[in-house]
């Protein structure tokens, strides 16, 4: 299983392959001008063609590569305590 930290280029994933957040880290999306997008966590990133898409828990997909991309932001880190 791949995690977000494994993603260096689009080619880090094969077509349809997914990468997941590290256990205990919640990710959200923001715009290039630093505004959070919605209030849903990102459940995975998937490759579709030449673009990586972040898919939220409500199954909305946002490009994280290419034109009009959004940025993955680690928002919460959960401690095991």
């Amino acid at each position: 299983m791949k995690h977000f930290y494994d993603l260096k280029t689009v080619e880090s994933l094969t077509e349809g392959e997914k990468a997941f957040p590290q256990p205990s880290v919640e990710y959200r999306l923001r715009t290039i001008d630093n505004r959070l997008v919605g209030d849903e966590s990102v459940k995975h990133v998937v490759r579709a063609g030449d673009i990586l898409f972040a898919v939220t828990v409500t199954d909305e997909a946002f490009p994280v590569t290419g034109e009009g991309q959004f940025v993955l932001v680690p928002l919460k880190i959960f401690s095991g305590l």
Side-chain angles (χ1 to χ4, degrees), residues 28-69:
R28 300 262 302 273
L29 292 167
R30 70 169 174 81
T31 61
I32 294 296
D33 60 352
N34 208 29
R35 286 181 280 140
L36 282 177
V37 176
D39 59 354
E40 302 100 28
S41 298
V42 174
K43 66 180 179 180
H44 64 264
V45 170
V46 63
R47 181 176 176 179
D50 290 334
I51 300 175
L52 297 180
F53 288 92
V55 179
T56 66
V57 295
T58 58
D59 290 325
E60 290 186 79
F62 297 87
V64 291
T65 61
E67 190 173 326
Q69 69 185 346

